[in-house]
Amino acid sequence: EAQVTQNPRYLITVTGKKLTVTCSQNMNHEYMSWYRQDPGLGLRQIYYSMNVEVTDKGDVPEGYKVSRKEKRNFPLILESPSPNQTSLYFCASSLSLAGGYEQFFGPGTRLTVL
Amino acid sequence: AQKVTQAQTEISVVEKEDVTLDCVYETRDTTYYLFWYKQPPSGELVFLIRRNSFDEQNEISGRYSWNFQKSTSSFNFTITASQVVDSAVYFCALSEHTGNQFYFGTGTSLTVIP
């Protein structure tokens, strides 16, 4: 089954404790992306990757890191989480962005930083 | 500046009423793509439709229809004879052929009252 998976689905942590949210897709997609969803703000892009080893900042990259060492994986790293990073996070992938292909989304990760 | 504007934050309708969700976009590209996604209460993001900038034909899919008007930079979504299962948050989104990002509106929360 074609899908985007994220882990964990729920995470409660404390300020400053490094964490990683994993994202994996099995569709051989080139484009991958991370979003955060906050009430009233919709989905905002954190980082995106056009292909392996090619990543770039989205609209709200502060406090986040990513890497794309393999085509299928795109982990999101919070080196020192803070309460303002409490949010619902979505990973997404697309065949490519230039061709106007839709994005497929993971199930979401609800993160709470105390 | 917001590239995708969904001015309606929340809409409530009674079952079987028709409802239109507005989406206005902003881009300088001549080639771009517009999308609608649905986020039901369960939280996942479901792709509904994609439109490219060269195709202004309206589309109908069952009770759903989309009206794309380049002259007003709008891509509105109408649900005919709404049902309780249509209750969800609906997002409009834009990607540009020359760009690397995907832009979402802030979403419209639709509640269909039985």
Side-chain angles (χ1 to χ4, degrees), chain A residues 31 35 37 40-43 45 48 50 57-59 88 90 97-105 107, chain B residues 2 33 35 37 39 42-45 47 50 89 91 95-97 99-107:
Chain A
Y31 187 89
Y35 297 86
Q37 182 178 6
L41 298 177
L43 287 110
Q45 199 167 34
Y48 61 90
M50 303 292 285
K57 297 177 181 177
D59 295 320
L88 177 59
F90 286 99
L97 208 62
Y101 295 98
E102 70 271 24
Q103 292 192 87
F104 293 83
F105 284 84
Chain B
Q2 191 77 7
Y33 309 92
F35 306 82
Y37 282 83
Q39 186 178 41
S42 50
E44 72 273 22
L45 283 153
F47 166 73
R50 176 190 69 194
V89 180
F91 290 98
S95 69
E96 298 162 320
H97 187 70
N100 299 327
Q101 289 188 250
F102 205 83
Y103 302 97
F104 280 88
T106 51

Side-chain angles (χ1 to χ4, degrees), chain A residues 3-10 21-25 33-35 74 76 88-92 104-110:
Chain A
Q3 59 182 352
V4 179
T5 56
Q6 291 178 231
N7 281 293
R9 296 290 311 281
Y10 302 91
V21 184
T22 64
C23 173
S24 183
Q25 50 94 5
S33 183
W34 276 101
Y35 297 86
F74 191 46
L76 179 69
L88 177 59
Y89 291 86
F90 286 99
C91 180
F104 293 83
F105 284 84
T109 295
R110 187 164 291 281

Side-chain angles (χ1 to χ4, degrees), chain B:
Chain B
Q2 191 77 7
K3 281 192 174 276
V4 178
T5 301
Q6 294 180 258
Q8 304 151 309
T9 307
E10 294 180 3
I11 300 176
S12 290
V13 298
V14 176
E15 203 169 20
K16 296 186 182 152
E17 285 184 350
D18 299 348
V19 59
T20 295
L21 310 183
D22 297 333
C23 174
V24 174
Y25 62 91
E26 179 184 332
T27 180
R28 292 183 179 178
D29 272 30
T30 55
T31 303
Y32 53 90
Y33 309 92
L34 297 163
F35 306 82
W36 277 95
Y37 282 83
K38 174 182 180 179
Q39 186 178 41
S42 50
E44 72 273 22
L45 283 153
V46 179
F47 166 73
L48 294 178
I49 190 171
R50 176 190 69 194
R51 234 345 163 227
N52 72 54
S53 52
F54 297 111
D55 185 359
E56 281 194 80
Q57 275 195 337
N58 292 331
E59 179 149 345
I60 298 174
S61 176
R63 295 183 298 106
Y64 294 173
S65 62
W66 291 268
N67 183 353
F68 176 28
Q69 291 197 329
K70 286 174 80 167
S71 59
T72 55
S73 297
S74 65
F75 186 43
N76 297 338
F77 173 28
T78 297
I79 302 174
T80 302
S82 59
Q83 299 176 1
V84 172
V85 293
D86 296 326
S87 295
V89 180
Y90 291 87
F91 290 98
C92 181
L94 164 77
S95 69
E96 298 162 320
H97 187 70
T98 58
N100 299 327
Q101 289 188 250
F102 205 83
Y103 302 97
F104 280 88
T106 51
T108 297
S109 177
L110 174 66
T111 301
V112 181
I113 303 163

Side-chain angles (χ1 to χ4, degrees), chain A residues 5-49:
Chain A
T5 56
Q6 291 178 231
N7 281 293
R9 296 290 311 281
Y10 302 91
L11 180 59
I12 300 174
T13 189
V14 295
T15 298
K17 187 176 180 183
K18 180 179 179 179
L19 67 93
T20 299
V21 184
T22 64
C23 173
S24 183
Q25 50 94 5
N26 62 1
M27 296 169 278
N28 202 35
H29 284 171
E30 289 186 353
Y31 187 89
M32 295 187 74
S33 183
W34 276 101
Y35 297 86
R36 59 178 289 173
Q37 182 178 6
D38 302 290
L41 298 177
L43 287 110
R44 294 179 293 168
Q45 199 167 34
I46 303 170
Y47 268 96
Y48 61 90
S49 170

